[in-house]
């Protein structure tokens, strides 16, 4: 058993990937918890796709990919807020339009801007955690520390803002800055995830650990702490599964994350589908009705 | 003294409020009534800078209200809150002290004592560790009343505080209102109900896009004024 655990650690790429998995587990759980309580899950999806627009521009200007990705992510959220507040359109339809448009801009610029066609779109869409190097780890570590310090410093303000944004604004809090801080944090988290799971699966990394913890606890900081544990555990278990079953690492991490959610959804002591009184009976009756 | 002068609000060229003027003195409890869509919530939101006003000024104690929001406690409508949010009663009430504490600081002992006293006043201190979503509608509203009390504000604004609450909570809320009046606080309450609860207010403001009438209940709630504010809707409701 010990050999099974130790063997992959003999490879540097696995050590890097596991470290990255744990770091992202922590980062995604904290940022994702805010997204869940603010019902901003789909905004995470929009931002993760929108970062694509910034990648070719980064290459063209000779900047690190993360700079363009961050700028495009934040810009998409500002565009969302601007359009939604200045029209009768609802948030979900505006998000759908921005997501597709920024993705289209990215795809088009890859072919138009000189040098941008060296961006590997498959790599960006699906990630490659096994290709993680020390520079990637440093970037993710820095983003994680930055966001943890920010959350620790502004915890009570963010709690107020995310629970009752109207009350927070009425109390004189600069809610626009908190919105900007929140979307910047989501964009930074997406940037950190680009290498690992890619833009298509990052949304699962962001919401799954927090959602699982949400079903077990009563307070936001407990949700973040427990989510961190689930996130890190998903990273480690996903990497081992990927190593031994020879399956894609990003997908393995996401599916472990989803499995943890599914088990909790069924068995959570307070909110589990099968643990609530009478729920099993109701479920059986419904299944019988469908069967007939 | 709260002074609202010439307040107008429009949403994308549709006039929501027109030329609102009113004054509310310290120690006064004013109820705002009017039909759905009359602009009651819009009026208080415009006063607090939550929606942009097209014209007008709002002054409190001689200064623009927007510059002294620490003096204001606002209780939003129930529908604006996500009751499934993972937060306990204690932390909801403690939000009253967030701005006072300042950035990077934990709430002081004085803040904790104020929050405790406020929760005790509305009978919710024993339930301080419960998740807000586990409480009844009336209990939830009492927690928000406690949050308003703990802010130690001089102007208190309540947006439909009696919606979905039980009789006990209604009595507690009116008792709290009368205590705050005695402390010379200024109170504005949006009230959906046109029944007996209106007897508690010093003055009523009847609103429908503009001020139809302001004054004691007997003066404001006349058939003529109600017809002007509600039109035929009130006849159907009465029938």
């Amino acid at each position: 058993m010990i050999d099974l655990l130790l063997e992959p650690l003999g490879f540097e790429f696995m050590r890097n990937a596991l470290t990255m998995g744990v770091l992202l587990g922590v980062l995604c759980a904290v940022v994702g918890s805010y997204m869940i309580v603010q019902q901003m899950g789909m905004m995470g999806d929009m931002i993760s796709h929108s970062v694509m627009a910034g990648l070719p521009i980064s290459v063209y200007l000779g900047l690190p990919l993360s700079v363009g990705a961050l700028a495009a992510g934040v810009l998409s959220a500002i565009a969302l807020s601007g359009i939604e507040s200045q029209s009768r359109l609802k948030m979900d339809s505006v998000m759908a339009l921005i997501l597709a448009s920024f993705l289209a801009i990215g795809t088009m610029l890859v072919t138009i801007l000189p040098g941008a066609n060296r961006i590997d779109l498959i790599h960006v869409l699906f990630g490659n955690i096994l290709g993680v190097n020390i520079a990637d780890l440093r970037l993710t570590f820095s983003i994680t520390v930055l966001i943890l310090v920010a959350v620790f410093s502004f915890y009570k303000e963010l709690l107020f803002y995310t629970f009752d944004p109207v009350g927070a604004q009425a109390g004189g809090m600069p809610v626009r800055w908190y919105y900007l801080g929140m979307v910047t944090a989501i964009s930074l988290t997406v940037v950190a995830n680009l290498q690992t799971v890619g833009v298509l699966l990052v949304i699962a990394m962001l919401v799954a650990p927090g959602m699982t913890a949400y079903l077990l606890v009563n307070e936001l900081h407990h949700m973040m702490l427990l989510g961190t544990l689930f996130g890190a555990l998903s990273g480690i278990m996903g990497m081992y599964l990927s190593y031994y079953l020879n399956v894609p690492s990003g997908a393995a991490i996401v599916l472990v994350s989803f499995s943890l959610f599914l088990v909790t959804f069924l068995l959570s002591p307070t909110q589990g589908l099968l643990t609530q009184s009478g729920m099993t009976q109701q479920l059986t009756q419904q299944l019988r009705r469908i069967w007939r | 003294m709260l002074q609202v002068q010439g307040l107008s609000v429009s949403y994308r060229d549709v006039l929501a409020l027109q030329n609102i003027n009113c004054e509310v003195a310290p120690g006064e409890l004013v109820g705002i009534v009017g039909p759905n869509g009359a602009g009651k919530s819009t009026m208080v939101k415009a006063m607090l800078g939550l929606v942009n006003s097209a014209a007008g000024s709002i002054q409190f104690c001689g200064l623009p209200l927007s510059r002294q929001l620490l003096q204001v406690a606002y209780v939003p409508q129930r529908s604006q809150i996500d009751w499934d949010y993972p937060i306990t009663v204690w932390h909801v009430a403690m939000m009253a002290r967030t701005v006072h504490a300042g950035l990077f600081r934990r709430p002081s002992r004085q803040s904790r004592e104020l929050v405790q006293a406020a929760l005790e006043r509305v009978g919710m201190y024993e339930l301080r560790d419960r998740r807000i979503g586990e409480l009844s509608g009336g209990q939830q509203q009492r927690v928000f009343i406690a949050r308003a009390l703990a802010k130690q504000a001089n102007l208190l604004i309540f947006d439909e505080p009696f919606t979905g609450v039980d009789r006990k909570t209604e009595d507690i809320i009116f008792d709290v209102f009368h205590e705050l009046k005695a402390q010379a606080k200024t109170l504005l309450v949006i009230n959906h109900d046109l029944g007996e609860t209106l007897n508690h207010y010093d003055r009523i403001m009847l609103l429908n896009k503009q001020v139809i009438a302001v004054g004691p209940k007997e003066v404001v709630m006349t058939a003529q004024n109600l017809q002007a504010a509600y039109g035929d809707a009130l006849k159907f409701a009465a029938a």
Side-chain angles (χ1 to χ4, degrees), chain B residues 95-170:
Chain B
M95 284 172 184
R97 309 302 300 171
T98 300
V99 179
H100 296 82
L103 290 173
F104 315 118
R105 289 187 186 164
R106 291 168 144 245
S108 63
R109 174 188 281 195
Q110 187 206 7
S111 286
R112 291 197 298 274
E113 286 170 359
L114 282 170
V115 169
Q116 179 176 340
L119 284 172
E120 283 171 345
R121 173 62 194 87
V122 297
M124 292 304 297
Y125 185 66
E126 296 298 312
L127 300 178
R128 63 189 177 282
D129 293 326
R130 285 272 189 93
R131 191 165 61 80
I132 191 82
E134 293 172 359
L135 307 180
S136 69
Q139 289 171 325
Q140 288 169 343
Q141 196 60 273
R142 278 191 262 160
V143 176
F144 271 72
I145 299 292
R147 189 176 85 171
L149 287 175
K151 193 163 181 191
Q152 299 270 287
N154 287 317
L155 171 62
L156 295 100
I157 299 174
F158 302 85
D159 196 345
E160 299 196 7
F162 303 108
T163 304
V165 306
D166 51 290
R167 186 59 195 258
K168 182 185 172 188
T169 299
E170 191 178 301

Side-chain angles (χ1 to χ4, degrees), chain B:
Chain B
M1 174 79 79
L2 173 70
Q3 295 170 302
V4 180
Q5 288 178 329
L7 179 66
S8 296
V9 178
S10 47
Y11 286 119
R12 297 181 196 102
D13 298 333
V14 178
L15 202 64
L17 280 177
Q18 189 180 13
N19 194 27
I20 304 291
N21 293 289
C22 72
E23 288 189 351
V24 187
E28 202 175 12
L29 172 58
V30 172
I32 304 166
V33 295
N36 287 334
K40 306 184 292 290
S41 294
T42 302
M43 187 181 88
V44 297
K45 283 182 176 171
M47 285 165 55
L48 294 169
L50 300 175
V51 297
N52 292 329
S53 48
S57 78
I58 300 103
Q59 302 232 319
F60 186 61
C61 302
L63 290 170
L65 184 63
S66 56
R67 275 201 256 149
Q68 29 180 351
L69 292 173
L70 263 184
Q71 295 289 323
V72 186
Y74 169 64
V75 175
Q77 278 184 33
R78 285 183 53 75
S79 58
Q80 286 184 7
I81 301 297
D82 172 17
W83 299 105
D84 288 325
Y85 194 104
I87 190 168
T88 59
V89 166
W90 175 262
H91 284 111
V92 172
M94 190 51 97
M95 284 172 184
R97 309 302 300 171
T98 300
V99 179
H100 296 82
L103 290 173
F104 315 118
R105 289 187 186 164
R106 291 168 144 245
S108 63
R109 174 188 281 195
Q110 187 206 7
S111 286
R112 291 197 298 274
E113 286 170 359
L114 282 170
V115 169
Q116 179 176 340
L119 284 172
E120 283 171 345
R121 173 62 194 87
V122 297
M124 292 304 297
Y125 185 66
E126 296 298 312
L127 300 178
R128 63 189 177 282
D129 293 326
R130 285 272 189 93
R131 191 165 61 80
I132 191 82
E134 293 172 359
L135 307 180
S136 69
Q139 289 171 325
Q140 288 169 343
Q141 196 60 273
R142 278 191 262 160
V143 176
F144 271 72
I145 299 292
R147 189 176 85 171
L149 287 175
K151 193 163 181 191
Q152 299 270 287
N154 287 317
L155 171 62
L156 295 100
I157 299 174
F158 302 85
D159 196 345
E160 299 196 7
F162 303 108
T163 304
V165 306
D166 51 290
R167 186 59 195 258
K168 182 185 172 188
T169 299
E170 191 178 301
D171 291 344
I172 289 174
I173 294 176
F174 274 121
D175 286 347
V176 168
F177 285 174
H178 290 298
E179 288 165 20
L180 290 167
K181 254 172 57 109
Q183 294 165 27
K185 310 282 189 186
T186 306
L187 289 104
L188 275 181
V189 182
I190 294 176
N191 199 332
H192 203 67
D193 176 32
L194 294 180
E196 285 180 16
T197 56
L198 294 187
N199 294 329
H200 289 275
Y201 297 103
D202 299 318
R203 282 192 298 154
I204 306 285
M205 177 192 281
L206 185 58
L207 198 72
N208 192 357
K209 313 281 187 199
Q210 56 189 331
V211 178
I212 306 290
V214 188
K217 182 189 167 192
E218 305 74 42
V219 176
V220 171
M221 303 304 278
T222 62
Q224 191 181 1
N225 286 339
L226 289 171
Q227 173 70 25
Y230 288 85
D232 290 335
L234 202 66
K235 285 182 196 164
F236 286 123

Side-chain angles (χ1 to χ4, degrees), chain A residues 173-192:
Chain A
M173 285 171 61
V175 291
R176 282 190 187 139
W177 285 106
Y178 287 111
Y179 175 79
L180 200 59
M182 201 66 79
V183 297
T184 306
I186 297 171
S187 302
L188 279 170
T189 310
V190 170
V191 167

